[in-house]
Amino acid sequence: MKKTLSLVVTMLAIVAVLAACGSNNKGSNAGTGENGAGAGNDGGKKKRIALVLPEKIGVNPFFATMDEGLKKAGEDFGVEVKTIESTDPAALEQNLRATVAENYDLIITATFQAEDALTKVATENPNKPFAIIDTTVDLPNVRSVKFREQEAAYLLGAAAGLSTKTNVVGAVVAMDTPLLKKYTSGFEQGLKATNPDAKFLVNYVGSFVDSPKAKELALLQYSQKADFVAGMSAVGDLGVFEAAKEKNLYASGQDIDRTLDDPEHIVLSQLKGTDTVTYETVKDFVGGNFEFSSVDYGLKEKGVGVTFITNETTSALSPFIGQETVDKVKAIAEDIISGKIVVQTP
């Protein structure tokens, strides 16, 4: 009986070891897709991706849609994602350092506001992958994602040139920066292409969040006979919209479809797919297609656009714009995509 009992115990032990080995082998292969990256898993461990924003999201659609794109990517690709908001440049650098210390697999940040902090942190951590959206940081461990905003701005300016009844249009812009010059320059190129005689007014708010100042400048432009004012001041655009409603005139918004808020006065929106590029950045990283290079998105890649022209909307088209103008600007969009029209970058 002792020999029999000893044999049974030995056999049970062997079975347990084999079962454990089989379980481990199964775990190491779980979630592995055709490219070997799987659904965000590395040996069964979820990848972790952080989005470190240079400021609070608040009511800024630029950052709100980035957060939405990150969360959708997290769900679709089975990765752990986290959005961290900063209060100032010092906090941004601290947050970037914290995500490095917490060993996130990929750290994403955004805008020219993050350039200095990212340059410092990425240089100190050459083996950690980073991405920055809406600007360029030229380092071997940073992927830079940019937009050809000038292409969508060209369409917006072309539509304004065809629609204005006073031959005066304006733009209320957050700041006089190289990035925002792509907006004003593209707009002016499109405006002059469709209406060489139109006058273009530009005023700078000095901030991305000062709605009262933006409203004051929009009212100034309306007093100078502008019948259309393009909001290019992020949160400040809320003041531009108030001015358009007060004067019963016309404006456009930025980043998301603002026509939904007041289609009678906000008649167009220049769109910027920050949700799309954030999603695609995560997708490339998880899928093993992530490269440390500069990638940009324009009309062709559907990274930018304009409501009614390149993107559908549930809003009613304003008679101020009209279907004839929409059709003409759609043709211009196709010429930009094909290369027939080249929008100059300032």
Side-chain angles (χ1 to χ4, degrees):
M1 280 188 68
K2 285 183 180 180
K3 286 182 179 179
T4 303
L5 182 60
S6 176
L7 180 61
V8 169
V9 170
T10 302
M11 291 180 69
L12 287 172
I14 292 170
V15 170
V17 170
L18 289 172
C21 290
S23 175
N24 287 339
N25 287 338
K26 183 178 179 182
S28 66
N29 291 328
T32 302
E34 292 178 2
N35 59 11
N41 294 324
D42 183 9
K45 184 181 177 182
K46 272 191 172 184
K47 290 189 183 296
R48 300 166 65 240
I49 297 176
L51 171 63
V52 182
L53 297 177
E55 60 184 65
K56 295 283 189 181
I57 292 175
V59 293
N60 190 336
F62 183 94
F63 295 124
T65 54
M66 283 187 71
D67 180 55
E68 291 168 9
L70 181 74
K71 288 174 179 173
K72 187 176 189 307
E75 293 175 1
D76 288 356
F77 305 121
V79 296
E80 181 184 325
V81 298
K82 183 178 182 180
T83 298
I84 302 165
E85 302 172 59
S86 307
T87 53
D88 54 48
L92 170 63
E93 184 175 333
Q94 290 171 5
N95 288 334
L96 287 171
R97 293 189 184 283
T99 52
V100 171
E102 292 169 19
N103 201 28
Y104 276 86
D105 296 291
L106 173 66
I107 300 165
I108 306 171
T109 188
T111 78
F112 69 90
Q113 296 163 279
E115 286 177 10
D116 291 343
L118 178 61
T119 298
K120 191 181 297 184
V121 175
T123 301
E124 293 170 4
N125 298 275
N127 296 321
K128 176 65 66 178
F130 297 89
I132 188 165
I133 292 171
D134 206 33
T135 190
T136 300
V137 169
D138 188 14
L139 287 172
N141 58 330
V142 177
R143 182 187 211 188
S144 299
V145 182
K146 302 179 297 178
F147 297 90
R148 298 195 298 277
E149 296 95 343
Q150 67 273 15
E151 293 181 354
Y154 188 103
L155 300 182
L156 191 66
L162 291 168
S163 302
T164 179
K165 309 301 186 288
T166 62
N167 263 9
V168 182
V169 300
V172 172
V173 189
M175 295 179 179
D176 187 4
T177 66
L179 171 65
L180 292 172
K181 282 189 183 300
K182 291 202 288 183
Y183 288 77
T184 53
S185 173
F187 185 97
E188 187 168 21
Q189 289 175 63
L191 175 68
K192 295 302 183 180
T194 59
N195 189 342
D197 298 325
K199 185 177 181 181
F200 183 38
L201 308 174
V202 181
N203 292 98
Y204 296 96
V205 180
S207 163
F208 288 94
V209 295
D210 193 343
S211 297
K213 179 67 173 179
K215 179 179 179 179
E216 177 187 322
L217 294 174
L219 288 172
L220 174 65
Q221 292 183 356
Y222 288 131
S223 73
Q224 295 173 326
K225 297 188 177 180
D227 55 358
F228 176 90
V229 174
M232 300 181 181
S233 57
V235 178
D237 289 353
L238 298 175
V240 176
F241 304 154
E242 287 179 16
K245 190 170 185 177
E246 277 186 22
K247 292 297 182 180
N248 197 28
L249 289 169
Y250 308 101
S252 65
Q254 284 291 330
D255 297 333
I256 62 172
D257 186 359
R258 290 293 197 178
T259 67
L260 300 171
D261 300 333
D262 179 8
E264 188 176 348
H265 302 100
I266 309 170
V267 294
L268 293 170
S269 265
Q270 181 177 328
L271 307 172
K272 193 168 180 176
T274 58
D275 52 346
T276 300
V277 300
T278 305
Y279 182 93
E280 291 295 325
T281 299
V282 175
K283 179 182 178 181
D284 285 351
F285 186 76
V286 173
N289 300 313
F290 190 86
E291 295 180 357
F292 297 114
S293 59
S294 183
V295 185
D296 68 355
Y297 292 79
L299 292 176
K300 186 176 182 179
E301 297 80 14
K302 303 186 186 303
V304 299
V306 177
T307 52
F308 298 107
I309 295 160
T310 62
N311 293 68
E312 297 296 327
T313 175
T314 57
S315 295
L317 178 62
S318 168
F320 176 76
I321 301 296
Q323 190 60 49
E324 185 179 353
T325 290
V326 168
D327 292 341
K328 287 179 180 178
V329 181
K330 279 185 176 181
I332 293 171
E334 289 302 320
D335 285 344
I336 293 173
I337 291 169
S338 69
K340 185 176 179 180
I341 294 176
V342 177
V343 185
Q344 299 301 315
T345 305

